[in-house]
Amino acid sequence: MSEGILIKGGRILDPGQGLDRIGDLLITDGKITRFGDKGAIPPEGFHALDANGLIVCPGFIDLHCHLREPGFEEKETIATGTRAATRGGFTTICCMSNTNPPLDNRAAVDYVKAKAETQGTVRVLPIGCITKGRKGEELTEMAELAEAGVIAFSDDGEPVVNSAIMCHALDYASALGLMVIDHCEDRALTNGGLMNEGWVATRLGLKGIPAAAEEIMVARDLALARLTKARLHIAHITTEGSVDLIHRAKEKGILVTAEVTPHHLTLTEDRVMGWHWGKNNITYDTNAKVNPPLRTSKDIDALIRGVKLGIIDAIATDHAPHTLTDKMCEFGIAAFGISGLETAFGCLMSLVPDGKLDLVTLISKLTAEPAKIIGTKYRELGTLKISAPADITLFDPTKEWIVDSHNFASKGKNTPFDGYRFKGKIMATIFGGKIVYKDDSVKLEIKQ
Amino acid sequence: MKTTQPRDKPNVIPETFPPPQISIWRHQHILDLDSFTKEEIDLVFEITDAMMEVLGREIKKVPTLRGTTVATVFYEPSTRTRASFELAAKNLSTDVVNLDIPKSSVTKGESFLDTLRTLQALGVDVIVLRHSQSGAPYLAAQHLDISIINGGDGWHAHPTQALLDLYTLRRHFGDLTGLKVVIIGDILHSRVARSNIWGMSIMGCKVVLCAPPTLLPRELDNFIIRCHLSGISKEYKLEAALQEADVIMPLRLQFERQQSRLLPSLREYIQLYQLNSKRLSLAKPNALVLHPGPINEDVEISPEVAHSAQSVIEEQVTNGVAVRMALLYLITRGKR
C-alpha cells in the first residue's frame, strides 16, 4: 500500500457533503482516513503536501470521453488518455463505446479494463454499446456487458434511429439497473451538416445543423423514458430547446439526467471563423468543428441557467482526440471533436469570475453529481468522506496559465483553446492515494 | 516558342499605367470579396480597363508577368473558369501548369496541402484553386507562402466571378450605386451569389434574392445583420422582385436539388422562377441579364431571353479574362 499523505492547509470543498472549510486531510492505504482543522493532524510519519492557497476537492468524474483504444491508437490510447485525465483533475473517466471493435461484447470490455488496470493512471469505467456494431439493429448482450462492468449503454455518435429498438434498450437496461445514454441527433435533418445552422454557416457556405436536429431526438427519448420508466441520460446537450424539454420532463418526474460540455458552455459558432475573426481574417478552424456543433450565445445562456437550476446534472468533456491529419484538412472532411480533458477545468473556471456560475455548483457538476448518475455501484466516488477512495483534485483558483497543446499528455492536440489564457489551474491529482499529477510549484515533503 | 514574340510593344499598356492608387492594394490572395473595400474594387476596374485594351489588340499578349508561373488546380470540373484563367495568365506571358484532380481523391489520406506544397516547391508563384469544399482556399492561404486565387470553393465564394459581374455592370451603368439587382434561384448552394452579395453590397447596389424558401439560407436575415451588409433583401415571388430591376441574374439550377427534395418538380420551378420574356418585361426596359454560366436553357432562363439584346452573358465571359488578368497583375506586382 502507498505511504500516507497529509494534505495540509487547503480549502476543502466537497459539495456532496456541503463541506467548505480550511483544513487538513489525511490519506492512508488509498483511502481518506482523517479530516481535521489546519494543523490538527500530527504530520509525523506522512508525506506532506502543501495545499496553502489551494482548493482540495473530490477527484473529478468525466461521464463522457473517448479513449480510442482499441482500434484508433494513433488518436489516443488508454495510457495517454488517462494521463491527460490526471492533468485535467479527473480521477474517474467513463469511456465511450465507439472503439474498433466497439464495446459491444464482453471481450472488448475486458480488454479495456485490463489495459486500464495495467497502463491507466485513473479509474476507467467503460460504457457498452446499445446495439451490436452500433448499427441500431440488434441489442447487445446487455446483461453480460453489465456483468463485465459497463456503467451504462450508449451507441455514442450513432443515435438509435429506430424508436422500437430504443424502447427495448431502455426496458432491458432498466432491469439491469443501468442507464441508457443517447447522442441526440436526427440524422435526416443533420444530413451532412458541418456546424450550427446560423449566420456563420451562411457566411462560410457550410451546411448547417439546426437545433431541431438535437431537440427532436431529445423529445423522442424523453417520451420513451416516460413510457418505460427507465433511466435515460442525454449526452452533451447544446440548445435552449433541449434545456426546456429536459426541464419539463424532470418536472413530470421522468428519470432523466443530462450533461453539457465545457466547450458548449463557453464557445459559440463564431469560433469556427478563427480565434480573433474580423472582417479580413476569417479562417475555417477545424479545431472548432465538433458534433453537436458550437451554438449561439442565447443557447449558452440557457445551458448555464440549466446547470444552475439543476436541469443539467453534470459537466462532461466529450474528450474526442484526433490526429493532426484528421484536422489539418478541408473543413468538410475534417473529423468532428475536441480534445477536452486538459482544458475542461480552466475553461469552466472562466465562467466563475464573470458571475455566470459559482464555484461550488461548478465543482459539484464535476464530482458529486456525476457520481450520483453513475449510480450505487460506485457510491463512494465524488466525495471526500472518511473511508472513501482517496481520489482528490487540488487546484489553484487564481493561477493563470496559457493553453499550449504541445504540452498535452493526450495525443489529440485538437483544441480550440490553444493560446487561451485561463485563470484556475489543476495543481495536483491524487488517485487511490497516489499522486498521479503534480504541478512543479506544489511543495511535497517526502517522509524521511 | 517563347522568344519569337514581336517586341514592338514592350511594356504593357498605356503610359499612365499603373495608376497611382495602386498603392492601396494590400491583398496577397484573392479569397473572397468580404475583405475588399470599394476603393480596391474600383482599382481592379481600372486595371481591368487597361487589360481590356490589351485584349483589343491584334496580338493579345504582353510580357508583363514573364517569368511568373501560375498553376490552376481544379478539384472540381470546370471548363470556362479554367480556360478563362489560363488565357488570362498566358496573355500576361506567365507559364501555366494545369492540374485536374479527380473527385475521388478528395478524401482523407491524399492530402490537399501536400499537393499544393509540392507546387510551391516546384516554383509556382500563384495557385488558382477550384474546390468542392468551402474554405479550401483559406486552408491553402494559411499554410502556403505563395498567392492563392479562389476559383470557386464549395458553396462559399467565387470572387473572380463576382468581380467580372460587377465590371460588366460598370461598363454598362458607370456608377453602380443604387442599382437594383435581382439574383434568382439556388442562393443556398451558390458561391456566385455569396460573393456577389458582398461585392454588390460594397458597391452600393440594392440586391434582391429571389428563390423558394428551400433554396434560401434559413439564417439569411441574421447573416445580413451580423455581417453589416446593406441593401440586401429577399423575395419569394419573382414578379414582385423584378419591379424596377436594373439587373437580373438567374443562377444555374442543379438538377440534384430536385432529387434531394428541395423542389417538388422542375416543372413547378420553371413555372415560378424561370426568367422568360414576359417576366423580363416587368423589369426596367433596358435591364441587363447576366448569368454566371453554364446555362440550363429552358430551366432558369428561356432561350429568347438568354440570347436577347438585353443579355450580356457572352460579354461577361470576355470581361472575365480581363478581370483575371488584372487580378494576376495586382497580386504578383509586388514581386516584379
Side-chain angles (χ1 to χ4, degrees), chain A residues 75 194 197-199 201-207 270 277 279-280 282-284 325-326 328-335, chain B residues 26 34-35 106-108 112-113 117 131 133-136 138-139 143 153 155-156 194 198 217-219 222-223 226-227:
Chain A
K75 294 176 193 276
L194 299 169
E197 184 179 74
W199 77 278
T202 307
R203 175 173 188 177
L204 298 183
L206 295 173
K207 188 164 168 54
D270 300 17
W277 61 274
K279 195 167 158 61
N280 302 324
I282 59 162
T283 56
Y284 286 69
T325 43
D326 291 335
M328 206 155 108
C329 57
E330 300 91 313
F331 195 89
I333 62 174
Chain B
R26 61 196 161 80
D34 57 359
S35 61
V106 187
T107 52
K108 270 197 272 183
F112 164 72
L113 280 177
R117 284 199 184 106
H131 204 292
Q133 294 286 344
S134 297
Y138 288 74
L139 181 69
H143 293 280
D153 64 322
W155 304 350
H156 172 241
R194 275 189 182 68
W198 281 103
R218 190 186 308 285
E219 297 279 334
N222 208 0
F223 161 72
R226 293 295 300 266
C227 292

Coordinates of all heavy atoms in Angstrom, one line a residue, chain A residues 75 194 197-199 201-207 270 277 279-280 282-284 325-326 328-335, chain B residues 26 34-35 106-108 112-113 117 131 133-136 138-139 143 153 155-156 194 198 217-219 222-223 226-227:
Chain A
K75 N -4.9 8.0 -32.4 CA -5.5 9.2 -31.9 C -5.3 9.3 -30.4 O -5.2 10.4 -29.8 CB -7.0 9.1 -32.1 CG -7.5 9.2 -33.6 CD -9.0 9.0 -33.7 CE -9.5 8.7 -35.1 NZ -9.7 10.0 -35.9
L194 N -22.2 20.5 -41.0 CA -20.9 20.6 -40.5 C -20.7 21.5 -39.3 O -19.8 21.4 -38.6 CB -20.0 21.2 -41.6 CG -19.9 20.4 -42.9 CD1 -19.2 21.1 -44.0 CD2 -19.1 19.1 -42.7
E197 N -26.5 25.6 -37.8 CA -27.2 26.4 -38.8 C -27.4 27.8 -38.3 O -28.3 28.0 -37.4 CB -28.5 25.7 -39.2 CG -29.2 26.4 -40.3 CD -30.5 25.7 -40.7 OE1 -31.5 25.9 -40.0 OE2 -30.5 25.0 -41.7
G198 N -26.6 28.7 -38.8 CA -26.7 30.1 -38.3 C -26.0 31.0 -39.2 O -25.7 30.7 -40.4
W199 N -25.7 32.2 -38.8 CA -25.2 33.2 -39.7 C -23.8 32.9 -40.1 O -23.4 33.2 -41.2 CB -25.2 34.6 -39.0 CG -24.2 34.9 -38.0 CD1 -24.2 34.5 -36.7 CD2 -22.9 35.6 -38.2 NE1 -23.0 34.9 -36.1 CE2 -22.3 35.6 -37.0 CE3 -22.4 36.2 -39.3 CZ2 -21.0 36.2 -36.8 CZ3 -21.1 36.8 -39.2 CH2 -20.4 36.8 -37.9
A201 N -22.5 29.8 -40.6 CA -22.6 28.8 -41.6 C -23.0 29.4 -43.0 O -22.5 29.0 -44.0 CB -23.6 27.7 -41.2
T202 N -23.9 30.4 -42.9 CA -24.4 31.1 -44.1 C -23.2 31.8 -44.7 O -23.0 31.8 -45.9 CB -25.5 32.0 -43.7 OG1 -26.5 31.3 -43.0 CG2 -26.1 32.7 -45.0
R203 N -22.4 32.5 -43.9 CA -21.3 33.2 -44.4 C -20.3 32.3 -45.0 O -19.7 32.6 -46.1 CB -20.7 34.1 -43.3 CG -19.5 34.8 -43.7 CD -18.9 35.7 -42.7 NE -17.8 36.5 -43.3 CZ -17.1 37.5 -42.8 NH1 -17.4 37.8 -41.5 NH2 -16.2 38.1 -43.4
L204 N -20.0 31.3 -44.3 CA -18.9 30.4 -44.7 C -19.3 29.4 -45.8 O -18.4 28.7 -46.4 CB -18.3 29.6 -43.6 CG -17.7 30.5 -42.4 CD1 -17.1 29.6 -41.4 CD2 -16.6 31.4 -43.0
G205 N -20.6 29.4 -46.1 CA -21.0 28.4 -47.1 C -20.9 27.0 -46.7 O -20.5 26.1 -47.4
L206 N -21.2 26.7 -45.4 CA -21.1 25.4 -44.8 C -22.5 24.9 -44.5 O -23.3 25.7 -44.0 CB -20.2 25.4 -43.6 CG -18.7 25.7 -43.8 CD1 -18.0 25.8 -42.4 CD2 -18.0 24.7 -44.7
K207 N -22.7 23.6 -44.7 CA -24.1 23.1 -44.4 C -24.3 23.2 -42.9 O -23.5 22.8 -42.1 CB -24.2 21.7 -44.9 CG -25.6 21.2 -44.8 CD -25.8 19.9 -45.7 CE -27.1 19.2 -45.4 NZ -28.3 20.0 -45.5
D270 N -19.3 31.4 -33.7 CA -18.4 32.4 -34.2 C -17.0 31.8 -34.2 O -16.1 32.2 -35.0 CB -18.4 33.7 -33.4 CG -19.8 34.3 -33.4 OD1 -20.8 33.6 -33.7 OD2 -19.9 35.5 -33.0
W277 N -11.6 36.5 -35.2 CA -12.0 36.7 -36.5 C -12.5 38.2 -36.6 O -12.9 38.8 -35.7 CB -13.1 35.8 -36.9 CG -14.3 35.9 -36.0 CD1 -14.5 35.3 -34.8 CD2 -15.4 36.8 -36.2 NE1 -15.7 35.7 -34.3 CE2 -16.3 36.6 -35.1 CE3 -15.8 37.7 -37.2 CZ2 -17.5 37.3 -34.9 CZ3 -17.0 38.4 -37.1 CH2 -17.8 38.2 -35.9
K279 N -13.2 41.3 -40.0 CA -13.6 41.4 -41.4 C -12.7 40.8 -42.4 O -13.1 40.1 -43.3 CB -13.7 42.9 -41.7 CG -14.5 43.2 -43.0 CD -14.8 44.7 -43.0 CE -15.0 45.2 -44.4 NZ -16.1 44.7 -45.1
N280 N -11.4 40.9 -42.1 CA -10.4 40.5 -43.1 C -9.6 39.2 -42.7 O -8.7 38.8 -43.4 CB -9.4 41.6 -43.3 CG -10.0 42.8 -43.7 OD1 -11.0 42.8 -44.4 ND2 -9.5 44.0 -43.2
I282 N -10.9 35.9 -41.6 CA -11.7 34.7 -41.2 C -10.9 33.5 -41.6 O -10.1 33.5 -42.6 CB -13.1 34.6 -41.8 CG1 -13.1 34.7 -43.3 CG2 -14.0 35.7 -41.2 CD1 -14.4 34.2 -43.9
T283 N -11.1 32.4 -40.8 CA -10.5 31.1 -41.2 C -11.6 30.1 -41.1 O -12.7 30.4 -40.6 CB -9.3 30.7 -40.3 OG1 -9.8 30.7 -39.0 CG2 -8.2 31.7 -40.4
Y284 N -11.3 28.9 -41.5 CA -12.2 27.8 -41.3 C -11.5 26.9 -40.2 O -10.6 26.1 -40.6 CB -12.4 27.0 -42.6 CG -13.3 27.7 -43.5 CD1 -12.9 28.9 -44.2 CD2 -14.6 27.2 -43.8 CE1 -13.8 29.5 -45.1 CE2 -15.4 27.8 -44.7 CZ -15.0 28.9 -45.3 OH -15.9 29.6 -46.3
T325 N -3.5 15.0 -38.9 CA -4.0 14.9 -40.2 C -5.6 14.8 -40.3 O -6.2 15.2 -41.3 CB -3.5 13.7 -41.0 OG1 -3.5 12.6 -40.1 CG2 -2.1 14.0 -41.5
D326 N -6.2 14.3 -39.2 CA -7.6 14.3 -39.1 C -8.2 15.7 -39.2 O -9.4 15.9 -39.5 CB -8.1 13.6 -37.8 CG -7.8 12.2 -37.8 OD1 -7.7 11.5 -38.8 OD2 -7.7 11.6 -36.6
M328 N -6.0 18.7 -40.0 CA -5.4 19.7 -40.9 C -5.8 19.3 -42.3 O -5.0 18.8 -43.1 CB -3.9 19.7 -40.7 CG -3.3 21.0 -41.1 SD -1.8 21.2 -40.3 CE -0.6 21.1 -41.6
C329 N -7.0 19.6 -42.6 CA -7.5 19.3 -44.0 C -8.7 20.2 -44.2 O -9.1 21.0 -43.4 CB -7.9 17.8 -44.1 SG -9.1 17.3 -42.9
E330 N -9.4 20.0 -45.3 CA -10.5 20.9 -45.7 C -11.6 20.7 -44.6 O -11.8 19.6 -44.0 CB -11.1 20.4 -47.0 CG -10.2 20.5 -48.2 CD -9.4 19.3 -48.4 OE1 -8.8 18.7 -47.5 OE2 -9.3 18.8 -49.6
F331 N -12.3 21.8 -44.2 CA -13.3 21.7 -43.1 C -14.3 20.6 -43.3 O -14.6 19.9 -42.3 CB -14.0 23.1 -43.0 CG -14.7 23.3 -41.7 CD1 -14.1 23.8 -40.6 CD2 -16.0 22.9 -41.6 CE1 -14.7 24.0 -39.4 CE2 -16.7 23.1 -40.4 CZ -16.0 23.6 -39.3
G332 N -14.8 20.4 -44.5 CA -15.8 19.5 -44.8 C -15.4 18.0 -44.5 O -16.3 17.2 -44.2
I333 N -14.1 17.7 -44.6 CA -13.7 16.3 -44.4 C -13.0 16.1 -43.1 O -12.6 15.0 -42.7 CB -12.9 15.8 -45.6 CG1 -11.6 16.5 -45.8 CG2 -13.7 15.7 -46.9 CD1 -10.7 15.9 -46.9
A334 N -12.8 17.2 -42.4 CA -12.1 17.1 -41.1 C -13.0 16.3 -40.1 O -14.2 16.4 -40.2 CB -11.8 18.5 -40.5
A335 N -12.3 15.7 -39.1 CA -13.0 14.9 -38.1 C -13.7 15.9 -37.1 O -13.3 17.0 -36.9 CB -12.1 14.0 -37.3
Chain B
R26 N -3.5 45.7 -51.0 CA -2.8 45.0 -49.9 C -3.1 43.5 -49.9 O -2.8 42.8 -48.9 CB -3.1 45.7 -48.6 CG -4.6 45.5 -48.4 CD -5.2 46.4 -47.3 NE -6.6 46.5 -47.5 CZ -7.5 45.5 -47.1 NH1 -7.1 44.5 -46.5 NH2 -8.8 45.6 -47.4
D34 N -15.3 39.7 -49.3 CA -15.7 40.3 -47.9 C -14.6 41.1 -47.4 O -14.8 42.0 -46.5 CB -16.1 39.2 -47.0 CG -15.1 38.1 -46.8 OD1 -14.0 38.2 -47.4 OD2 -15.3 37.2 -46.0
S35 N -13.3 40.9 -47.8 CA -12.2 41.7 -47.3 C -11.9 42.9 -48.2 O -10.8 43.5 -48.0 CB -11.0 40.8 -47.1 OG -10.6 40.2 -48.4
V106 N -10.6 13.5 -53.3 CA -10.9 14.4 -52.2 C -11.4 13.6 -51.0 O -12.5 13.7 -50.5 CB -12.0 15.4 -52.6 CG1 -12.2 16.5 -51.5 CG2 -11.6 16.1 -53.9
T107 N -10.5 12.9 -50.5 CA -10.8 12.1 -49.3 C -9.5 12.1 -48.4 O -8.5 12.6 -48.8 CB -11.0 10.6 -49.7 OG1 -9.9 10.2 -50.4 CG2 -12.2 10.4 -50.5
K108 N -9.7 11.6 -47.2 CA -8.5 11.7 -46.3 C -7.5 10.8 -46.8 O -7.7 9.8 -47.5 CB -9.0 11.3 -44.9 CG -9.4 12.5 -44.1 CD -9.4 12.2 -42.7 CE -10.8 11.7 -42.3 NZ -10.9 11.5 -40.9
F112 N -4.6 17.4 -49.6 CA -4.7 18.6 -50.3 C -3.5 19.5 -50.2 O -2.9 20.0 -51.1 CB -6.0 19.2 -49.8 CG -6.2 20.6 -50.2 CD1 -6.5 21.0 -51.4 CD2 -6.2 21.6 -49.2 CE1 -6.8 22.4 -51.8 CE2 -6.4 22.9 -49.5 CZ -6.7 23.3 -50.8
L113 N -3.1 19.7 -48.9 CA -2.0 20.6 -48.6 C -0.7 20.0 -49.2 O 0.2 20.8 -49.7 CB -1.8 20.8 -47.1 CG -2.8 21.8 -46.5 CD1 -2.6 21.9 -45.0 CD2 -2.6 23.2 -47.1
R117 N 1.7 22.1 -51.5 CA 3.1 22.4 -51.1 C 4.1 22.0 -52.1 O 5.1 22.6 -52.3 CB 3.4 21.7 -49.8 CG 2.7 22.4 -48.6 CD 3.4 21.9 -47.3 NE 2.8 22.5 -46.1 CZ 2.0 21.8 -45.3 NH1 1.8 20.5 -45.5 NH2 1.4 22.4 -44.3
H131 N -12.4 24.2 -55.7 CA -12.5 23.1 -54.8 C -14.0 22.9 -54.4 O -14.7 23.9 -54.2 CB -11.6 23.3 -53.6 CG -11.3 22.0 -52.8 ND1 -12.2 21.3 -52.2 CD2 -10.1 21.4 -52.7 CE1 -11.6 20.2 -51.7 NE2 -10.3 20.3 -52.0
Q133 N -15.0 21.8 -51.6 CA -15.1 22.1 -50.1 C -15.0 23.6 -49.8 O -14.0 24.2 -50.1 CB -14.1 21.3 -49.3 CG -14.2 19.8 -49.4 CD -15.3 19.3 -48.6 OE1 -15.9 20.0 -47.7 NE2 -15.7 18.1 -48.9
S134 N -16.0 24.1 -49.2 CA -16.0 25.5 -48.8 C -14.8 25.7 -47.9 O -14.5 24.9 -47.0 CB -17.2 25.9 -48.0 OG -18.4 25.8 -48.8
G135 N -14.0 26.8 -48.1 CA -12.9 27.1 -47.2 C -11.6 26.6 -47.6 O -10.6 26.9 -47.1
A136 N -11.5 25.7 -48.6 CA -10.3 25.1 -49.0 C -9.2 26.1 -49.4 O -8.0 26.0 -48.9 CB -10.5 24.1 -50.2
Y138 N -8.8 29.0 -48.1 CA -8.3 29.6 -46.8 C -7.3 28.7 -46.2 O -6.3 29.2 -45.6 CB -9.5 29.8 -45.9 CG -10.4 31.0 -46.3 CD1 -11.3 30.8 -47.4 CD2 -10.4 32.2 -45.7 CE1 -12.1 31.8 -47.9 CE2 -11.2 33.2 -46.1 CZ -12.0 33.1 -47.2 OH -12.8 34.1 -47.6
L139 N -7.5 27.4 -46.2 CA -6.6 26.5 -45.7 C -5.2 26.6 -46.4 O -4.2 26.6 -45.8 CB -7.1 25.0 -45.8 CG -6.2 23.9 -45.3 CD1 -6.1 24.0 -43.8 CD2 -6.8 22.5 -45.7
H143 N -1.4 28.0 -45.0 CA -0.2 27.2 -44.9 C 0.8 27.3 -46.0 O 1.9 26.7 -45.9 CB -0.6 25.7 -44.8 CG -1.4 25.3 -43.6 ND1 -0.8 25.1 -42.4 CD2 -2.7 25.3 -43.3 CE1 -1.7 24.9 -41.4 NE2 -2.9 25.0 -42.0
D153 N -15.0 28.0 -54.3 CA -14.9 26.9 -53.2 C -16.3 26.6 -52.7 O -17.0 27.4 -52.0 CB -14.0 27.4 -52.1 CG -14.5 28.6 -51.3 OD1 -15.0 29.5 -51.9 OD2 -14.3 28.6 -50.1
W155 N -19.9 26.0 -51.5 CA -21.0 27.0 -51.6 C -20.5 28.4 -51.2 O -21.3 29.3 -51.2 CB -22.1 26.6 -50.6 CG -22.6 25.2 -50.7 CD1 -22.4 24.3 -51.7 CD2 -23.5 24.6 -49.7 NE1 -23.1 23.1 -51.4 CE2 -23.8 23.3 -50.2 CE3 -24.1 25.0 -48.5 CZ2 -24.6 22.4 -49.5 CZ3 -24.9 24.2 -47.8 CH2 -25.2 22.8 -48.3
H156 N -19.2 28.5 -51.0 CA -18.8 29.7 -50.2 C -18.6 30.9 -51.1 O -19.3 32.0 -50.9 CB -17.6 29.4 -49.4 CG -16.9 30.6 -48.8 ND1 -15.7 31.0 -49.1 CD2 -17.4 31.5 -47.9 CE1 -15.4 32.1 -48.4 NE2 -16.4 32.4 -47.7
R194 N -23.1 34.3 -53.1 CA -22.5 34.7 -51.9 C -21.5 35.8 -52.2 O -21.4 36.9 -51.5 CB -21.9 33.6 -51.1 CG -22.8 32.9 -50.2 CD -22.2 31.9 -49.3 NE -23.1 31.2 -48.5 CZ -24.0 30.3 -48.9 NH1 -24.1 30.1 -50.2 NH2 -24.9 29.8 -48.1
W198 N -21.7 40.1 -51.3 CA -20.6 41.0 -50.7 C -20.3 42.1 -51.6 O -20.3 43.3 -51.3 CB -19.4 40.2 -50.3 CG -19.5 39.4 -49.1 CD1 -19.7 38.1 -48.9 CD2 -19.4 39.9 -47.7 NE1 -19.7 37.7 -47.6 CE2 -19.5 38.8 -46.9 CE3 -19.2 41.2 -47.2 CZ2 -19.5 38.9 -45.5 CZ3 -19.1 41.3 -45.8 CH2 -19.3 40.2 -45.0
P217 N -30.9 30.5 -47.7 CA -30.4 30.1 -46.3 C -31.4 30.6 -45.3 O -31.9 31.7 -45.3 CB -29.1 30.9 -46.2 CG -28.7 31.4 -47.6 CD -30.0 31.5 -48.3
R218 N -31.7 29.6 -44.4 CA -32.7 29.9 -43.3 C -32.2 31.1 -42.5 O -33.0 31.9 -42.0 CB -32.8 28.7 -42.4 CG -34.0 28.8 -41.4 CD -34.0 27.6 -40.5 NE -34.0 26.4 -41.2 CZ -35.0 25.8 -41.8 NH1 -36.1 26.4 -41.9 NH2 -34.8 24.7 -42.5
E219 N -30.9 31.3 -42.3 CA -30.4 32.3 -41.4 C -30.0 33.5 -42.2 O -29.1 34.3 -41.8 CB -29.2 31.8 -40.6 CG -29.6 30.6 -39.7 CD -30.3 31.1 -38.4 OE1 -30.0 32.2 -38.0 OE2 -31.1 30.4 -37.8
N222 N -30.2 37.0 -40.4 CA -29.2 37.0 -39.3 C -27.8 37.3 -39.9 O -27.0 38.1 -39.4 CB -29.2 35.7 -38.6 CG -28.8 35.8 -37.2 OD1 -28.5 36.9 -36.7 ND2 -28.8 34.7 -36.5
F223 N -27.6 36.6 -41.0 CA -26.3 36.8 -41.7 C -26.1 38.2 -42.2 O -25.1 38.9 -42.0 CB -26.3 35.8 -42.9 CG -25.3 36.1 -44.0 CD1 -23.9 36.0 -43.8 CD2 -25.8 36.6 -45.2 CE1 -23.0 36.2 -44.9 CE2 -24.9 36.9 -46.3 CZ -23.5 36.7 -46.1
R226 N -25.5 40.4 -39.0 CA -24.2 40.2 -38.4 C -23.0 40.6 -39.2 O -21.9 40.9 -38.7 CB -24.0 38.7 -37.9 CG -25.0 38.3 -36.8 CD -24.7 39.0 -35.5 NE -23.4 38.8 -35.0 CZ -23.1 37.8 -34.1 NH1 -24.0 37.0 -33.6 NH2 -21.8 37.7 -33.7
C227 N -23.2 40.6 -40.6 CA -22.1 41.0 -41.5 C -22.2 42.4 -41.9 O -21.5 42.9 -42.7 CB -22.1 40.1 -42.7 SG -21.6 38.4 -42.4

